[in-house]
């Protein structure tokens, strides 16, 4: 903090003579009693000491020091030169205002704001920035968010990002290198791989026994195990609480294929995108007995299958410490 305070007092003549512009609302308020000036693009942000003091012990301590060394600004309002860009400053300061609902321009902007919040020890801003980054970028930057969350100790966000990473097939292969791997420890990366593998094992096991199925009349009469003589194979499975029943060959093939795919990519999308589903339905349609109800029955089973996979995966926890 001492270095930061010292830096704010080191205003050169070239800084003072550099033309500046004023940030857009709400940071153009002439009633503000402090100005933060970006030394990168020379934009002035008019704000209030009380807000900065509440959010940051760094600024609170700074304001208790003699301010005659600070650069005078408009109407003698003190100016604090800071190293952040105006884009970073705008997002950072908006997060200081409880009524504001900012968005990040991109993931790099989010990371810059988070680093600035750490630098100025703005814990409330850091918390808001973390939640905002997760809500904006989880679908597209989950590996980067996992790395960031591990580095900053955000265990809940690390779990959420790791769960989203289950969308990646064969996560441990070299092709899954990602930019933020430079920011992550080998241990945290190993933990992500262990989590992905454990979820794959759990998801694959769902198809080895169907005892989790609800016992209903409709489930008992599904063509996959309703003793169609022309389709029934040699495989038997526990079906709900009906006991062990022989299942059709086309359904057995479906379970084997889905299990292999789920092991590599243990998420809902795998089941919905499974080519084996269409193969099973097409094979069943060749049977005079199975064809009448196979589409409806397989749709119902797929919905139950997805729900069960999501449940068992949710029970697997990422180790973060």
């Amino acid at each position: 903090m001492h270095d930061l305070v010292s830096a704010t007092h080191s205003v050169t003549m070239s800084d003072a003579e550099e033309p500046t512009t004023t940030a857009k609302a709400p940071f153009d308020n002439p009633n503000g009693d402090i100005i933060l000036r970006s030394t990168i693009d020379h934009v002035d942000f008019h704000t209030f000491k009380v807000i900065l003091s509440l959010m940051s012990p760094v600024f609170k301590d700074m304001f208790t020091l003699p301010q005659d060394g600070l650069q005078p600004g408009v109407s003698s309002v003190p100016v604090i030169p800071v190293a952040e860009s105006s884009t970073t400053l705008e997002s950072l300061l908006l997060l200081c205002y409880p009524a504001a609902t900012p968005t990040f321009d991109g993931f790099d902007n989010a990371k810059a704001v988070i680093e600035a919040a750490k630098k100025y020890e703005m814990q409330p801003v850091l918390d808001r920035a973390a939640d905002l980054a997760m809500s904006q970028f989880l679908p597209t930057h989950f590996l980067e968010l996992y790395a960031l969350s591990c580095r900053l100790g955000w265990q809940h966000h690390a779990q959420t990002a790791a769960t989203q990473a289950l969308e990646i097939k064969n996560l441990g292969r070299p092709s899954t290198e990602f930019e933020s791997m430079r920011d992550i420890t080998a241990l945290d990366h190993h933990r992500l791989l262990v989590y992905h593998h454990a979820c794959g094992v759990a998801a694959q096991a769902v198809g080895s026994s169907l005892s989790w199925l609800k016992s209903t009349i409709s489930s008992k009469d599904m063509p996959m195990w309703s003793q169609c003589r022309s389709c029934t194979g040699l495989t038997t499975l526990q079906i709900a609480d009906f006991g062990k029943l022989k299942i059709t060959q086309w359904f057995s093939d479906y379970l084997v294929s889905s299990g292999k795919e789920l092991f590599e990519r243990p998420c809902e999308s795998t089941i919905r995108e499974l080519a084996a589903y269409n193969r099973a339905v097409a094979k069943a349609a060749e049977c005079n007995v199975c064809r009448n109800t196979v589409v409806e029955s397989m749709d119902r089973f797929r919905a139950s299958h997805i729900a069960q996979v999501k449940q068992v995966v949710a029970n697997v926890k990422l180790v973060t410490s």
Side-chain angles (χ1 to χ4, degrees):
M1 186 185 74
H2 175 73
D3 293 340
L4 176 62
V5 174
S6 299
T8 63
H9 287 75
S10 302
V11 180
T12 66
M13 184 59 68
S14 60
D15 290 330
E17 295 174 351
E18 187 75 34
T20 62
T21 57
T22 300
K24 62 184 179 182
F27 306 115
D28 57 352
N29 190 337
N31 296 319
D33 57 4
I34 195 72
I35 294 173
L36 299 187
R37 174 172 295 167
S38 168
T39 58
I40 294 179
D41 38 20
H42 307 285
V43 179
D44 284 354
F45 289 79
H46 296 248
T47 185
F48 298 89
K49 293 178 183 178
V50 64
I51 293 177
L52 295 178
S53 296
L54 287 172
M55 292 293 161
S56 166
V58 173
F59 282 112
K60 182 179 179 179
D61 290 346
M62 188 187 304
F63 297 146
T64 65
L65 299 174
Q67 296 185 20
D68 53 356
L70 295 180
Q71 177 182 341
V74 179
S75 302
S76 299
V77 175
V79 176
I80 302 177
V82 294
E84 287 73 30
S85 70
S86 59
T87 302
T88 300
L89 268 182
E90 181 179 17
S91 298
L92 181 73
L93 292 175
L94 281 173
L95 288 166
C96 293
Y97 288 61
T101 54
T103 57
F104 293 123
D105 290 345
F107 189 69
D108 287 341
N109 176 224
K111 288 198 298 182
V113 171
I114 287 168
E115 290 302 324
K118 282 182 60 187
K119 171 183 173 182
Y120 298 117
E121 300 178 17
M122 294 176 162
Q123 190 57 50
V125 172
L126 197 57
D127 293 340
R128 286 191 72 190
D131 292 341
L132 180 60
M134 291 295 291
S135 65
Q136 267 193 254
F137 303 114
L138 183 62
T140 55
H141 292 76
F142 43 82
L143 288 177
E144 289 83 356
L145 285 167
Y146 173 77
L148 187 65
S149 298
C150 288
R151 183 162 61 87
L152 296 178
W154 298 337
Q155 295 185 7
H156 173 70
H157 290 321
Q159 174 72 68
T160 301
T163 300
Q164 189 72 20
L166 297 177
E167 292 280 351
I168 299 176
K169 188 173 182 178
N170 290 315
L171 178 63
R173 291 183 178 177
S175 60
T176 54
E177 178 181 345
F178 54 98
E179 181 67 24
S180 291
M181 194 174 279
R182 295 178 177 86
D183 302 326
I184 199 173
T185 67
L187 178 59
D188 285 330
H189 185 239
H190 172 71
R191 286 170 172 169
L192 178 62
L193 299 184
V194 169
Y195 171 75
H196 195 283
H197 178 266
C199 288
V201 171
Q204 183 181 39
V206 169
S208 62
S209 171
L210 305 185
S211 58
W212 45 266
L213 274 176
K214 292 183 179 179
S215 302
T216 63
I217 294 176
S218 59
S219 64
K220 188 173 184 178
D221 293 335
M222 284 185 173
M224 295 86 92
W225 49 77
S226 61
Q227 305 300 314
C228 171
R229 293 183 178 180
S230 60
C231 294
T232 299
L234 300 177
T235 304
T236 60
L237 277 184
Q238 177 69 38
I239 308 296
D241 60 3
F242 307 137
K244 288 193 173 184
L245 303 177
K246 284 187 176 182
I247 60 174
T248 61
Q249 189 59 50
W250 53 264
F251 185 62
S252 177
D253 293 342
Y254 167 79
L255 290 178
V256 171
S257 295
S258 64
K260 290 179 179 178
E261 292 291 326
L262 283 167
F263 176 74
E264 297 177 342
R265 185 172 173 248
C267 61
E268 176 180 346
S269 300
T270 296
I271 300 177
R272 293 198 180 279
E273 300 165 5
L274 200 63
Y277 178 86
N278 291 330
R279 290 199 299 269
V281 171
K283 189 65 178 178
E286 298 174 2
C287 172
N288 292 330
V289 177
C290 297
R291 69 172 56 155
N292 296 325
T293 58
V294 64
V295 174
E296 178 185 355
S297 296
M298 282 294 287
D299 280 348
R300 288 209 317 271
F301 177 79
R302 179 164 60 178
S304 298
H305 194 192
I306 288 172
Q308 185 65 15
V309 166
K310 291 173 71 173
Q311 180 177 323
V312 299
V313 166
N315 289 335
V316 179
K317 300 303 179 185
L318 172 73
V319 176
T320 55
S321 61

